[in-house]
Amino acid sequence: MNLFDVYSLYDIEPVKGEGSWVFTADGTRYLDFYGGHAVISIGHAHPAYVKAVAEQAARLGFYSNSVKNSIQQKMADRLGRLSGYDSYQLFLCNSGAEANENAMKLASFSTGRAKVLAMDRAFHGRTSGAVAATDNPKIQAPFNATSNVEFVPLGDIDAVKGKLETREFAAVIIEGIQGVAGIRMVEDDFLRTIRTLCTSTGTLLILDEIQSGYGRTGNFFAHQHAGVRPDIITCAKGIANGFPMGAVLISPSIEAWKGMLGTTFGGNHLACAAAVAVLDVIKDEHLVENAAETGQYLIDRLTEMAARNSEITEIRGRGLMIGIEIKGSASDLRRRLLFEGHIFTGGAGEHTVRLLPALGITREQADIFLSTFEKFL
């Protein structure tokens, strides 16, 4: 049986990871500045993570959500304290797309409204409702098309106001930073005004923090830079350091009833053990603070690099979520960085190199990236 052709694959197979390094079978070492698409939050094979998952697998890997699972509550307590959302409710699922599906469904249940407002170039997932809220017709099948999702330009507050004043929308869904679109920043004032408009029109605000959350931008969630509190927050990616998991944080003002949301595998014992370990490491090793400090160091050095090299046209980002816009082909540069410089990076369009390293990346590793990147510009 052949594998379904999904992605263009580099002819490299990592077989081992350690911190921010990955290794192929022949022992070649690569610096991971992509984190498996922002998934590796605390580093590859972190000892505390490995211990927690192994010990839980030896006890009980899975049982259904028809019985109590105290590890779910342990995770909820840890997440509430670290994020500042200890009064919120937590629904656990398996992926970012599933988290966004349930968030939009929950908003529709809660308001009795059918429509969702999203931003241009947004990416919220590849399942039916999530892809309908994703501004990319290439991944929308006719089945996904829906008149219940409308799009406005990111940053155009008049367009948002005009839509919400109809009082037809259950929710606005917006990313903390648009990742797939190329690290497009959401201005703090824009987000604050959306919060005000949502409140005044009875519309719920959903913050998609799947890529920008869990400490990546130097706050636990990217929207916290703007000082707003959404009604619903979605998480995935780095939540369990590679174990498939998603989560929906739900305001206490939103009422739930049994059967509103459901899942078979969500919040299983292994996933929760992994997620608790991630939260403990983030707290104990001060990784949110490191993301802020090392991320700013990278942004400052890249800005200096851009001043002396006209090939770089713009630096965007916060913390360890960084986009480098170049004049030439980002794909060609990323290929050279990988095969000649032994550094993994991410892409986001024709001219953007995207950086999403583990939150514990060191200053020394940042310098390795910077010198190698400049060499291949």
Side-chain angles (χ1 to χ4, degrees), residues 85 88 103 107 111 117 119 160 164 169-175 186 190-199 201-208 223 227-234 249-251 254:
Y85 284 95
Y88 277 45
T111 63
L117 188 65
M119 304 296 129
V160 175
L164 296 191
F169 289 86
V172 173
I173 185 167
I174 184 169
E175 295 160 86
V186 178
F190 180 65
L191 198 53
R192 291 185 193 108
T193 308
I194 288 179
R195 172 68 277 178
T196 300
L197 288 170
C198 283
T199 301
T201 59
T203 310
L204 299 186
L205 176 59
I206 302 171
L207 248 297
D208 178 341
H223 68 260
V228 302
R229 285 180 79 83
D231 301 292
I232 303 173
I233 305 165
T234 57
L249 282 67
I250 305 160
S251 168
I254 297 175

Side-chain angles (χ1 to χ4, degrees), residues 1-76:
M1 180 182 292
N2 293 324
L3 295 173
F4 192 78
D5 191 10
V6 177
Y7 296 112
S8 298
L9 300 178
Y10 291 118
D11 190 21
I12 290 175
E13 183 181 3
V15 298
K16 177 186 174 183
E18 183 179 321
S20 291
W21 301 97
V22 292
F23 303 81
T24 54
D26 65 1
T28 303
R29 186 176 76 161
Y30 296 81
L31 182 58
D32 186 5
F33 253 65
Y34 187 49
H37 202 78
V39 168
I40 302 302
S41 52
I42 62 170
H44 297 280
H46 191 289
Y49 176 85
V50 171
K51 182 174 184 288
V53 173
E55 289 180 351
Q56 185 59 48
R59 286 193 298 270
L60 179 66
F62 176 84
Y63 204 78
S64 80
N65 282 308
S66 61
V67 297
K68 289 182 178 180
N69 177 355
S70 61
I71 317 174
Q72 290 182 350
Q73 189 60 55
K74 182 184 290 188
M75 183 203 166

Side-chain angles (χ1 to χ4, degrees), residues 13 17 26 50 72 99 107 110 124 129 132 144 186 189 192 197 212 220 230 232 239 272 278 289 333:
E13 183 181 3
D26 65 1
V50 171
Q72 290 182 350
S110 181
H124 296 294
N144 301 127
V186 178
D189 284 345
R192 291 185 193 108
L197 288 170
S212 57
F220 199 88
I232 303 173
I239 192 170
C272 285
V278 166
E289 295 85 348
L333 176 56

